[in-house]
Structures are given as C-alpha cells and as structure tokens.
Amino acid sequence: MERERLRALLGAVQRGELDPEAALERLAHLPFVDTPHARVDTHRALRQGLPEVVYGTGKTPTQIAEIVRAQREAELPVLVTRVEPETAARVLDAVPGGEHDAAARLLWFGPREVPVVGKGLVLVVSAGTSDLPVAAEAVGAARRFGNRVELLADVGVAGIHRLLASSELLRQARVLIVVAGMEGALPSVVGGMVDKPVIAVPTSVGYGAAFGGLAALLGMLTSCASNVCVVNIDNGFGAAHVATLINRL
Amino acid sequence: MERERLRALLGAVQRGELDPEAALERLAHLPFVDTPHARVDTHRALRQGLPEVVYGTGKTPTQIAEIVRAQREAELPVLVTRVEPETAARVLDAVPGGEHDAAARLLWFGPREVPVVGKGLVLVVSAGTSDLPVAAEAVGAARRFGNRVELLADVGVAGIHRLLASSELLRQARVLIVVAGMEGALPSVVGGMVDKPVIAVPTSVGYGAAFGGLAALLGMLTSCASNVCVVNIDNGFGAAHVATLINRL
Amino acid sequence: MERERLRALLGAVQRGELDPEAALERLAHLPFVDTPHARVDTHRALRQGLPEVVYGTGKTPTQIAEIVRAQREAELPVLVTRVEPETAARVLDAVPGGEHDAAARLLWFGPREVPVVGKGLVLVVSAGTSDLPVAAEAVGAARRFGNRVELLADVGVAGIHRLLASSELLRQARVLIVVAGMEGALPSVVGGMVDKPVIAVPTSVGYGAAFGGLAALLGMLTSCASNVCVVNIDNGFGAAHVATLINRL
Amino acid sequence: MERERLRALLGAVQRGELDPEAALERLAHLPFVDTPHARVDTHRALRQGLPEVVYGTGKTPTQIAEIVRAQREAELPVLVTRVEPETAARVLDAVPGGEHDAAARLLWFGPREVPVVGKGLVLVVSAGTSDLPVAAEAVGAARRFGNRVELLADVGVAGIHRLLASSELLRQARVLIVVAGMEGALPSVVGGMVDKPVIAVPTSVGYGAAFGGLAALLGMLTSCASNVCVVNIDNGFGAAHVATLINRL
Amino acid sequence: MERERLRALLGAVQRGELDPEAALERLAHLPFVDTPHARVDTHRALRQGLPEVVYGTGKTPTQIAEIVRAQREAELPVLVTRVEPETAARVLDAVPGGEHDAAARLLWFGPREVPVVGKGLVLVVSAGTSDLPVAAEAVGAARRFGNRVELLADVGVAGIHRLLASSELLRQARVLIVVAGMEGALPSVVGGMVDKPVIAVPTSVGYGAAFGGLAALLGMLTSCASNVCVVNIDNGFGAAHVATLINRL
Amino acid sequence: MERERLRALLGAVQRGELDPEAALERLAHLPFVDTPHARVDTHRALRQGLPEVVYGTGKTPTQIAEIVRAQREAELPVLVTRVEPETAARVLDAVPGGEHDAAARLLWFGPREVPVVGKGLVLVVSAGTSDLPVAAEAVGAARRFGNRVELLADVGVAGIHRLLASSELLRQARVLIVVAGMEGALPSVVGGMVDKPVIAVPTSVGYGAAFGGLAALLGMLTSCASNVCVVNIDNGFGAAHVATLINRL
Amino acid sequence: MERERLRALLGAVQRGELDPEAALERLAHLPFVDTPHARVDTHRALRQGLPEVVYGTGKTPTQIAEIVRAQREAELPVLVTRVEPETAARVLDAVPGGEHDAAARLLWFGPREVPVVGKGLVLVVSAGTSDLPVAAEAVGAARRFGNRVELLADVGVAGIHRLLASSELLRQARVLIVVAGMEGALPSVVGGMVDKPVIAVPTSVGYGAAFGGLAALLGMLTSCASNVCVVNIDNGFGAAHVATLINRL
Amino acid sequence: MERERLRALLGAVQRGELDPEAALERLAHLPFVDTPHARVDTHRALRQGLPEVVYGTGKTPTQIAEIVRAQREAELPVLVTRVEPETAARVLDAVPGGEHDAAARLLWFGPREVPVVGKGLVLVVSAGTSDLPVAAEAVGAARRFGNRVELLADVGVAGIHRLLASSELLRQARVLIVVAGMEGALPSVVGGMVDKPVIAVPTSVGYGAAFGGLAALLGMLTSCASNVCVVNIDNGFGAAHVATLINRL
C-alpha cells in the first residue's frame, strides 16, 4: 500500500537517511504525483523514440507550422497526418526541412531514415487502388515509427489468386495491417492465412450501401477469423501505432 | 365471370344488338380485361410447373392446413416455408401425405422426386454451420422447383483452402447461391472464382455488430465482385426462385 | 392507337368478319385496354383543374423551360417546385410570363389569381423562421391548387402562448398543414387543439441529433395526437396536394 | 371549480364589489381560463360522437375493466385497441356486454350498429394476408367511428391485376387507407389510381431488411404519388381516426 | 507547482519541522495519492448523505441481498433500482426491513422518511400513463435523496390545457424532471413555460417509429427550448440524481 | 388587444350592460387570456436580464442586422450565435458597436463587461483542441449571461494526468460544462470527480465511426456517471443556458 | 514465371534429376499453382469477350488515360464508368478514339458496334426521369457487353397504366434490370408481371426519408415479388454485368 | 487423396509415361495443391498448441457433445464458448471429463493446468460488474491458450482513482484487454496510461441509448488513444485470441 511506502520514505527523510532531493525523485516516479516524471509521461511516445504526431485535419498551415517549429527547436521529430499538398507547401515555406508524402498525406520533420527498432516485418496489405491513401498512411507512419514495412497492394478478395500468390510474404510478417473498403472482406481471408495478429482498417471507399465505410467496418468487426481486431474508418495511422507497439514486444 | 361478360358483349355486337362504338365505350371503362389469360397470370408460377409457395411464419397450423388442402384437392403441389417441427406435425395430422424437411424448415406436398427441368447445376455454397438452415431452404426449394442442386457447405473465407479445393465444382455450376452470415465475404470470393451469376443470401447469423444480418447484407451489396446480386436476409427461398428462373433460360 | 384498334376489332365483329370467340381471345391477350379513359387518367390532375407540377431539383433551366413551354403552348398552367432564383431567372428569360416566389422556391405559369374551389380554409402553421421556406411551398402550392390559404408562422411549442392566442384561427381551418423542424412537436399540440385532419411536414431544419429531419419525422410519426398524418421531410408540396384533395371533398 | 370562481368574480363586478381593473388583473394571472368549454375540449372526441379510445397494450385486464366500467356507467361507448383474446375474455368477465373482434384486436362497448355519419366510403386496402390484423383494426375502428367501410384485401403489387380489377371500387371511395408491409409499395400504386387522399399504414410484417416496418415506412414517405400521407407502423387506428375526420368534412 | 510544494514539505520533514505523520496527512489530501481521503472520495455520494444506489437489472436476488446486507451491517441506507416484485420479495425474505415501491421498481432500505435537504421543489412531470414507471422511479429516487418532490402526471401535449392548468405548479419548481415517450414533445413545452433547468427523460414507450425511445430521445435533444438537458432513455434515476445535485446548490 | 377587450367586457359588467352569466360564457370561449402577464412571459429571458439570443445559421447578414438593430433601438443587448467572420463584418458595418468573438462564433451587442449575477463558478472543460469552438461558444454565452466562467482546455482522457492535475479547479465549480468529441468519454471521468451537475456537450469532431458526433452523443447518454445530463451535438450555447439557470438558483 | 518454374521442375523429374517425392514436397509448399490458367482467370472477363472495366470515380484524367492507353496498346477494349464530361474530354485529348456517353457517364474505347452474343433481350426499365443516368449506365454497359438492350423509361408505379401498356415488351425480355429511386416499388410490380429474373437497382434519387437510396434499397430487398434480386445503390454497371452473365447462359 | 494423386502424376513423369508439358497442363487445372501442408494449415491453431474452439450458441447439447467427443478421441483439447449451465450439464453427461466455468460460459476439455507459453502478462481490465461475463470469457480463453492472465475488475472511469491505484499493474502487462459497456470509455483512459497494445471489447451492457453495445463500440473505435484496437461486441474470446498471438511474439 502506497501509504506505507510514503510513511517509510518520509521517516527516512526525517532520520536523515534519505536526501530530500532523492526523495523527490522517488516521489516523481509515483504514478499520480504531478512531477516532471508525470509530465514526461505525457510525452511517453517521445521517450520511446516515437515521434510526436499531429492530426492535421482542421488545422491551418499557420497552426501546424507553430507546432512543428516548437518541436524542431527542441530538436524533436514530428509527424503531421492528413496534410494535403497545398497545406504542406505552406508549412514547408514556414518551417523548411520537412518532407511531404503526398500519397500518404504525411508531413515529416525528422531523420530521412528512421533506424529500425521493431523486431520483425510489418506488412500492410490493401484491397483496391482506392484504398491506397489509407494504406500509404499506415506504411509511412509505421516506417517513421521505426519498423521494417512492406506494402502488398491490390489483392482484393474477388481475385483471390493474387492474394494466394503472396502467401509466403504474408507468413513472413510479424504483424499485419489489412486495409479494405467496400465489403471489407480482405482481413477475414488474410486472417485465415496467418497465425499473427491482424489489424484491420476499414476505408470509406465505396458508394451507396458502403455508407462511408460502415459496411467495411461492420464486416471487419464480425470477421469469422478471430485473430482480427479493428481500428476506425480510414485510420491508417492508428493501425500503424498499434502495429508498432506489437512489433516492439 | 368476366369471360362470360365479354362473350355476351361480343355476341351482341355480332348479332347487331350492340353498336361497336357503344361496345367500345363499355370496354373502355374496364380498367383491364379480366380474362383467363390474366387470371392464369396470377397463377403464372403454377403454369411453369413451379409449386405454389406459402410463407409459413405467422400462420397457424389450421390456416396452413386449409391452404394445403385446397391445393391438394386441385391435385396441385404446394411448398410451405419456415415451418417448425411442431407446426409441421399438426399440419401433417390434418393433411397427410406431405414430408417435412426439418433442417430446411420446408413442408412439401407433391411428388417425392420432382423431375429436373433446369438446364444445369444450381450450386448452393454456405459459409458456416450456423448458415445451414438458410442454405437448406435454398437447396430444398430449388429441388422442388425442378433443379439439379448440390450443397457445398462450411467453406468460410477464413479457411480459404477449403473453398479453393472445390473450385472445380464451383465452375460446374450454371448459377450459384452463396449463403453467409457475419461479415458475408463469401460471395465476393466465389464471385471472383466463377463467370456465372452469383445470388448472395446474407443470414442473420452472428452477434453484436452483425446487427441481425445487416453487416452481411451491406457487405454483399458492396461486393468488389460485380457478378453478385443480393436477396433479403435469410431469404433462401427467394434465392432459389431467382436461380430457378435463371436455370430455365 | 388502342381506341382505333378496338374500334376496328368491334367493327369486324359487327360485320361478321370476326368470330366473337376469336375476338374474345384477342381481347384476353391485351393486358389492359388502353382507352381514352385510361389515358386521360394519366392526366387526372389536369382534368381536376390542378396544374401540372414539375419537381425542379436536378433539372437544368433548359429542361424546365422545355417542359413549361410545352404546357404553355397547350394553354395549360404549370407549377415548378424547388426553383432557386438564378434558375428561375433563366427559365423566365426563355419562357416569359411566369412569376417566381423566391421564398417558396415556386415558379408559376398560369392565372395570377387562381379561382378558389376548395370548400374551406387550408391553414398552414409553422414552428420557426427556418421552417418558412417549406411552409411557403405549402402555402404557394395550395393557393395554386385553388384553396383559400392562411399562414400562421412562428408559433413554436417553446412559446406555447403564441399558439394558444391563435386557437380561434386553428378552429376555423378545414384542414391543417403543420410544418416543424428540430423536435417536430408542433403537430402534436395543434392536433390536440382541433378536430380536423392535420398533415405534418417535418423539415430538415436543425443540427446534430436532428439528423437532417429524422428527429422531427420520427416525432411526428409517433405523435400522441391521433389525427396527425405525415409526409416526407421538407415536402411542403405533398402536404398541399393532400390538403387540396381533402378540401375538395 | 373554475366556472364557479369566474361566476363569483363577475358577480362581484356586477355588484360593484370589485373594480373592473382589479378583476382584469386577477384574470390576467390565470394562465388559461379553465371553463366548461375548455374541459369539454378534452372530451372533444366525445362531443363529436366519437367513442373514447383506450390503447390496450401494457394495461392489465383489471385496468382496462376499470376504465371501461367508468365509461359504461356514464352510458358512453368505449373502444379498446390491441386486446388479445385472453385479455378480452377477462375484461368481458368483469364488464359484460362488449364484443371482441379478435382479428382486429378491438374490444367494443357500445351499440352493435353505429349510425353512419361519414359522408362517403372509407376503403381499406391491404397488401398481404399478414397485413390483415392492421387492416382489420382500421376497418373496425372506422366503423365504430360512424363510417361506411369496405375492405379490399390481398391486392399486393406483385399481382397488379388483382388490384386493377378493383379500380372501380377504388374510385368509389371518398378516402382510402392503404395497409402494407415489406416494401410498402401499395400506397404508391393506389395513389396513382385515385384522386382522393390516401392514408398509408406501414406494417411490421416482413423479416430481415424489413427492419420491423422501417422499409415500408420509408417507402411510403418517399412515395412517388403525392396524394399519400403516412401514419406510424401498424397504426391502423390512427389511420381510421384521420380518415373519419376527413370523411365528416 | 506540485514539485516545489513537495520539496518544501520534504525539507520540513528533514529539518524536523514537520512530523512524518503530519506530512503523511498532507500528502493524503493531494488529489492523486491513494490515501483514505481518496478512498473516501469513492464514497463521495455517501458523505453527502446520498444513499448507495445499486442497479438491479441482471443481478440475482442473492447478489442483491448480499450487497444490501453489507450496507445494512454498516448501518448505511441503500436504494436498489429496477427491481420487479418477485425479486423484491426474495430479497426482502433474505434481508428484512426494506420497502418495495412496485410502481417505481425501487427497493429501499433506510429511514421511512428521508429528511429534506434540497432547497426547493423537484417537480416530476409525465406525459402518458405508460410513462408512469419511469416518472415513479424519478419521484422515488429524488425523495430518497432528500428532496421535496411532486408528480404532475398525464399532461401530454395533445391535451395542452391540462398542462396549462398547472402552470402555477410548474413555476413553483426549483428544478423540473419531464418524462415522455412517443414523440417526446413535453419537455419543449414545459421548457418554454418555466425559467428553471429542465431535465428531460425519454421513455421507451411507443411502438413502430418510436424505435424503443429513439424518437423521444432525438426530439428532446433537438428541443427548441434551450433550457432542456437530457438523460438516457428510461433513466428516471439519473434524472433524479442530477436534480438532487442542482437542488442542493 | 386582449387586455382592452377584457377591460371593456368587465366595464360592461360593472355598468350592468352585460350579465355576469353572459360574460362568463364569453370568457369561457377564450382559450387563454392573453394578458400582459402572458405576453411578458414570451419575453421571459429578457426580464431575467438574459440577452435575446439569435441563432445565426441560415440567416443573411441583412436579416441579422435587422434583428440586432431592433433590439439596439430598444436599448436591449443581443447575442448572435454561429456567426462566421465575414458575416460578422457585414453585420457590424450595418450596426456598429458590437464585438465578434471569432473563436466562439459569437457576435455580441451589449455591455463589454456583463455584471456577474451567477452565484458560483461555471467551469467549461474541453477534451481536444478541435473541440475549442464549441467550448468557446459555451464560455462566451455563459459570460454574457452573467456568470463567472473559466475554461479548462485540452484535458482529454487519454492523458488522464492533465485532468487530475486540475482536480482542485474541478471541485471549485458550482456547475460544469464538459465538451468532447470522438468517444466523448470526458464527462464520465469528470462526473466521477465532482459532486456537482455536469452538462455534457458532444461535438461533431472526429471522422469515420464518430458519425458526426453520434459516437460522443451515445457515449454521454450512457455515461456510467449518473450526474451527467446531455445537450445536442455542438450545442455550446444550450449548455451555457442550462448552466446559467442552475447557477442562479 | 510460375509456368516456367513448373516446366523446369517437371523436366527435372522427367530427366530423373529430381525424385518424385522431392518434387511432391516442393509442389506441396506452393499455396496455389500460379499457372497460365490461373493467371488468365484474373483476366476472365477478357477471355469472355467482356471489356476491361475501370471505375472512374476518384481517378484523375491522367490515371484513367494511363490505364486506357495500356489496354489500347494491347488492342483491348476498355470501358470507364462514372466519367463526367470534363474528365472525359481530358482523357480523350490524351487517348483519342474513344466515345463518351454523357448521360450514362461511360467512356468507351472499342468497336462502335459490339457484336451481340447474348441470347435474348436485356430490358432496362426505369421509374422516373431522375433515375435515367443509372438506367443509361446499365443500358450502355450491357450493350458494350454484347447484349441486345432496350430501355423502357418513365414508367413509375404511380402511373401504373404506362407500365401495363408495355407488358408485351416486358414479357419479351430474357432478363430485366429495373431502376428506381424514392420508394423503389417498380421491381415488385415488374417482378409480378414477368417470369424472368429481375435485377433491381435502387438509386439515390429522392430527398428526406429517401436517405440517399436507403428507402429504395430496403424496399427492393423486401419485395413481395420473389424473382427479384438487388445490387448496390446506383450500381447500373453491376446490374448490367449480372444480366450479361445470365443472358449468355 | 490429393497427395496420392500428385505422387502418381510425378511417378508417371519419372517413368516417362507422362510428358512434362501434359503434367504441367494437369497441374494448371488444380486450383491449389491440396497437400498435407495445406491441410495442416486448416488446423493451424492445433499446431500452435491452441485448442480447437467451438462457438456454442445455437448448437444443441448433442451437437456439442459430438464435436467434443471427436476431439477427445483424437486426444485433442477443445474449448466451447457461450455454454450455459444446463447445456454444459448435458454435454458433460454425454462426454465426462470436462470442466464448466459458469461465469465465463466456457466448457473446457483438456489439461487442468495449461502450460504457460505466452511471454508476458495478459491483463484483462473490466469496467462494471455487468461486464464480468465477457471479461471472464477473455480470462478463461487466454488461460487455456497458455497465457499468464490477471483480471482487474470494476475499475470504471467514473471512479478514476480505482484505476489509477492499479497503474503499476497496468504497466506490467505485455498486452491488455479492456472490457466495457455503456459509454465504453475505459480503453481510452487505459490506453493513455500504458505503451502497450490495448484490445478493446465493447459489451452489450446498458440500456436505452446503449443500443445493445453500439454506444460502446463507436466510442472505442473513435478513441482518442491511438494504441487501441477493437473486436466485436461481447467478443471476449476474440480478444483473447488476438492477445495470445501478440503475447507469443
């Protein structure tokens, strides 16, 4: 119990056995005491070597540039998601030195080559060409998060042979991200072919009864393959984050 | 009876008792001519050799027995769908001579072997064991409608090899009915493997985000295989009807 | 033309050139007799003195102008709904002589004052100022359809005294159209104050949980006042049509 | 009682005991004047010769019997809706003299033959046999409300000739109630065949994508026939109420 | 800054200026240190004189009895919600001394008369008789929470005069709970008549397009009266809790 | 004017020109007495010192300016919500003297500093930076309504330490407004930390399964903290109104 | 290339360089044999004489032109769907020789007259003028797929006589595509008039409760005509594909 | 058996009886080679030491017993999910030697203690007591799958201190399963406290706007913590499967 630990610590300080500064440090490591440690905790991602991530939608180029500049002045990498070319250009005017991946809509400020710390291969599999922007977001984020990443694109289930031809690659992956719109069936098929965790990303690709990704989302949640878990519609970044944490285990 | 009225009218014109213009006016006020042709039209199914079909849900055994008896007295076959064992037993008590297929929930009064008039194979493919009642309804109805039918069961997409092992059978079919619950991905995969029309039947199998078959329904409607069309949730009979019409072409 | 065909057939019977039984068979194969009566039926509205109505959404000014011109050449009135000012101006350039009611988004070609043939007062009641365009469509259409119409606006249920102050007017109406968005409660209150039929029109006014008129629609359908019936969201014209038919009884 | 308070107040003014201005102030603070007129208003239905109506769902036989007995003691008719046979039997045990229409689920206490005061024919049209309970509720309620009523049953749109054969009857109606489940298409077709108001009643008949009547409800609201208005799912009574008010105009 | 306060405190302990036990107490009052204070915090309701509340749905009589017994042994009151008569009887067999309010489905163990500590009147207003169980839950819970409570029942908006007749009572309330099913219009009307906070409770009363309370819920959320806030469908208890907190201010 | 009619009627009674019984009958037919009291009621907000509020969406600058000018000529304050900069500029051109809070989208005409009449602190808590416009609307409106207001921003639940660090501030509030999009979890956590009423405001922030605020709305309605009530999506103004009424108690 | 690998392996067995058992093991580890047969399968459409189809939405003119050019260089026909005029013009600038059907939004590169290989008539029936673009897509695609196609337009169910007048044409069709928005009732009526398979296409035409095609979709899925199957909202192309496969049987 | 067919074919090539090109053609027509490798793949779970899992819902005790007996005769473990006590008793009567965990609704046939092969701790965190059955399913399945598992129950977000008090335990986990109903906020808070993958399981606990788990599901999908992925409502087993695969990495 925390109370006893506290009493012992305070007794040690009283008896001169423990220096106040050392006691302070220990307290700083208690989960709920709002010390620099706690604050650093809010930057947990950073301590892990993960870049700070900014969700770009709804932010002006000026706002993005301000956040990026603050990070860069602290010599920290920063990844901005959902950045269209025009916005990227204006941010890069204000804060040079970044690179924009238009397909992935990612704006990156940091080392060109991020050292690989993930233990295995993160494989991003995508169904149709329209799913590529979401798949690219997953690929780009996972790479910036220090993973070895490969993309297996255009292997929708209506042409199952294309997927089967890559079964060797599927089995080499340590964790898989599967991106699909429309009926979202791909994660079920992939999930049945591997014995690794599959992170499914429904996309808003499709029309009519696709209902903006709802069909794919429901399909993935009810997958008959039980090694599949799901993130939000179009959330390539979220899938990359979960995959990164798994790949570092 | 309308036919008699028409005969009388035309006779009167022939005999000169009725002016053609007056006859024209009378005919003009009949919204449609209720002739044998028209009436037979309401029994179109019958003329085609299709049995009369009764939807059993919500009908009492007495009501079903009455309908069946009327058909039997006219020496016509009749198929009752969605009949549970207890109801079937009570109908068969009242009108002997039928047979109940408990798995398919079908109650059949007619020849034990229906002559095959469909030109090719109707193949019913089903995903999981829980989808079997709907698949069985499709199989049973298609057989009673005069088709050669085979059932390929338990080939869900999470074990894609089981499906692929039957690709030869898939290609032999002239028309396919594909039954699946949960994410309903099977029609997309089958649709990609054949060049024949695929009738997809979503089932209400599943829980949670399956939402009573909605996930499978939306998935099938947004299938990336464009040779797939869809009937209502759990509507094995409807799929069999459409397949029968196709198979007679 | 069907009438000619019939006349010829009956003439042949009269002249003894055609046997009545043979004529019977021929008639039996006509699915319905396409006589002037039937054809006039498709122009039923016209015969009743109701103007032809064109739904303007999705039509180009050119398309609208063509339809209008055809009607005008036949000296028939025509009412176009959902016409924004710019479209109206271009149609009026092409076919002069109409008048545009911008608030109601109605474009009218016909007599400036339509004779009143409805037997009583059609009262249009609306909740908020944002519901006015839909209320105005109902008012404008009902007037063009030959009704005496009054508008009681801005009597939302959150200020119930304003509505009660007009209870005398409410009771004078022969049929009421009640237009409301957001929670759509007004028809329930009005329905409880009168013993006349109430036609409720939900509007798409509102945000968030209004879900484009769904909240108002569901509210009106479940009204605790049982003299309320409902038309589609924003369908002021439909309400005017139903009210007109009632008011002519 | 408010009437007495008012009489006393006005008497005091007459006798000069109360200044008109003071009386004005007192009246001003009554939120509304609760006079016999107002109170009778809550019994508006009664004054019109309409029977009191009790919604039976969720009420115990004892509760229903109490309400009925109170009405019968005042020699007033009363109609209870949604009453299953067992409940009806128990109510009739407690309060004899009523009659139960099992098909319509209506329990009626009042004259066996209600005098007809409606001006024309109320025609109830229903699509399938499963829609009959709702149609019967509409028929039964409309009759108790003093209308001449006819039922045209089993004229679903998939057998359009049956409906067309009755077009003469359709045109004789002064107001039509059209009851349909599943896709709910019947009101659109009927609406196109008549120039009278059509009250559409969606039913909860159907399974799967019928979603408990939602499919029929949406279909009727979006009807391409603009003389159609809609009441709640399965609300045969509500349709009868609106039709009655229209038929008395 | 917390770090400075901690450093100062630890320094004081080191210098012998502060006793470790006193330091411990001070730390115990920091929000995040898991001390008795924090634990008491989890019993915040209790400290305020609010009874412990147990949600009864899905719990067996034995489970409820266990929880109740533990509270009673600590001489603490406890309120169990959503308890049907049979369950109540079995709990009361196991733990005598409670009272069951069947209408409100509340089972109460505590003083028969709870002292009133709320500052004003909590008025519960309900629309139809079917809404009474939810209204009764609100009334019963609010009373057990120490409020003076009145119930104004059966004042649905389709009979607006009944509501207006009680406007004086409405104005006397310090906080109002308004309970309604079907279209849920009552809170809008009440909200427009008072200048106090209105807590709206949608109920699952209704059928068809009521969709289990969804119609009422959406209606209340989009209320044109802006002094209305909403709790979950059928959540009479939650409304009572919020009203209690407001009434103690 | 109703008051004059009443005065005349009472005068006639006083003068003996009208019999009290006759006067009684006349009064009985007024549905409610439209006296100054009633009329003032429609301006209830004004009497309370609350400014008139205009919902700006869908109104043209000209329409807004007209309303504002009328209020200003009566020397009354007025608050316009949802006003974008361009509209604000045009209104301010037409009616000088107001101030526009762009972040809150509020346009205010009235005293720069509104006197505080609320009894305690209204604390507005918001989750993410994207929720700030809604939070700002709540802050701005609550201030104009005479409350002391503070904003605690950017304390989303995924960084729970930031929220806990402010627990002292949370406890100082008399009423709390909690604004959150996405999963809308913040009100549950805040609700568990305070014993004051919490008004939750879901925002339309988020994508995919956020469904325009639906996820947050449902989450808040089903909050496990029972001291939470909810207003419409993005309805910062409504939350401020309810909070103001509570804070004046 | 797999075929080469297989040839080499089999050659090694023939030459005695590889043991059959070892060859067996190697083959066993290929998940599927990627032979010409399999590969040609991915071009199945091509082998059947069906043109390659590209879904144009979301693709830039440059991307479309690239795909088209590749096909044209292989002297293969290609059909691009959902192409607006501006895009078409730019693609045709880059790759001359195609023709754009603006009504159908189809861009076609191939023989002007495609030889008819389908065995009978594909009849496309459409309800309203707003449904024409979807119907035109079905007509255009079915023609390019080698079918004899006719279009029966503007036969909505509210004017049932227009449809009945064409019953002869309906009966001539071998397979029917029925396109309708709003309540989507047309397939039910047509389905009842023919004994051929009906492919229903809901369109997104309509407003309010049409919910972007949902009303029509649900209506078609719950059709009381059991010879109806359904494709996605606005999916004229998919209907044409299914009809083509049926028409080649 | 396919292996035999292949062996024969390769033998024929070796013996010169079959030309390699002919063999190539034959192989080309096998869609995939059904070898032991492929077949073992369908029993992948088994090879990994994972027990066979049977979904119990909708299966009779007899059906379950048959499946279990087949596995037991092969000396293989088997886990049946969603088994209520009565069913379990009947299965255990038929196949002794299993054990039923009633809280988790799991029926297990296999070693009493499964050896731990997962590398770290799988921590299952659950919000309310009603969520315990789903949490227990996750705990029970994860244990049978060879993981060290702990359960941290009853730490809902409305009592955030209880969760924070266990932050040390949270950080010890290698992978977390977080189970919550109602608003489903717990995964967001837990996700913010750890740097490990979090698998969120929404439960169907709650009423009204919980919509059978929809509120929790949407909340978890839109979580502001990006290390959260989601499985189907109530799918404790699926979460355990994903966690097991992660924990074996």
Side-chain angles (χ1 to χ4, degrees), chain A residues 158 164 182-183 185 188 192 210 219 222 224, chain B residues 158 164 182-183 185 188 192 210 219 222 224:
Chain A
L164 294 172
M182 301 168 86
E183 81 271 61
S188 294
T222 57
C224 53
Chain B
L164 295 173
M182 301 168 84
E183 81 272 59
S188 295
T222 56
C224 53

Side-chain angles (χ1 to χ4, degrees), chain F residues 15-246:
Chain F
R15 290 188 302 274
E17 297 167 15
L18 187 68
D19 186 71
E21 283 300 312
L24 182 62
E25 279 314 297
R26 287 205 197 163
L27 284 169
H29 286 81
L30 290 173
F32 83 109
V33 183
D34 181 11
T35 63
H37 178 75
R39 262 178 298 116
V40 167
D41 232 46
T42 65
H43 294 299
R44 192 184 52 243
L46 203 60
R47 280 189 301 138
Q48 298 168 354
L50 293 184
E52 190 74 19
V53 179
V54 178
Y55 180 63
T57 300
K59 294 202 176 66
T60 63
T62 310
Q63 289 173 319
I64 295 173
E66 272 172 30
I67 300 172
V68 168
R69 191 179 293 113
Q71 292 286 319
R72 297 314 286 154
E73 285 170 0
E75 297 191 4
L76 294 171
V78 59
L79 179 68
V80 194
T81 64
R82 310 274 171 108
V83 185
E84 300 300 337
E86 193 181 353
T87 301
R90 291 178 56 189
V91 174
L92 288 168
D93 276 357
V95 192
E99 68 182 302
H100 184 237
D101 177 346
R105 294 169 298 173
L106 292 173
L107 181 58
W108 168 246
F109 292 84
R112 194 156 288 268
E113 289 299 318
V114 180
V116 169
V117 297
K119 293 182 183 168
L121 172 68
V122 172
L123 180 65
V124 178
V125 185
S126 77
T129 49
S130 307
D131 302 317
L132 275 178
V134 177
E137 182 181 292
V139 167
R143 247 179 222 143
R144 302 317 187 186
F145 282 7
N147 296 284
R148 184 159 62 84
V149 187
E150 287 196 38
L151 172 65
L152 175 60
D154 214 17
V155 288
V157 298
I160 200 74
H161 290 91
R162 288 177 293 179
L163 183 65
L164 294 171
S166 302
S167 61
E168 197 58 34
L169 178 59
L170 291 175
R171 292 180 191 181
Q172 287 167 10
R174 199 162 185 254
V175 52
L176 299 98
I177 293 170
V178 182
V179 180
M182 300 168 86
E183 81 270 60
L186 190 57
S188 294
V189 178
V190 170
M193 292 172 71
V194 301
D195 54 6
K196 294 295 184 302
V198 171
I199 303 162
V201 189
T203 74
S204 55
V205 167
Y207 60 92
F211 290 124
L214 179 64
L217 174 62
L218 297 183
M220 290 171 179
L221 285 165
T222 56
S223 173
C224 53
S226 60
N227 55 340
V228 172
C229 64
V230 187
V231 297
N232 196 4
I233 297 165
D234 290 337
N235 191 7
F237 160 69
H241 191 187
V242 176
T244 298
L245 296 183
I246 294 174

Side-chain angles (χ1 to χ4, degrees), chain E residues 15 25 44 53 72 80-81 102 140 148 169 188 201 227 238 247:
Chain E
R15 291 187 301 273
E25 278 314 297
R44 189 184 56 243
V53 178
R72 298 312 286 157
V80 194
T81 64
R148 186 157 62 84
L169 178 60
S188 294
V201 189
N227 54 341
N247 198 28

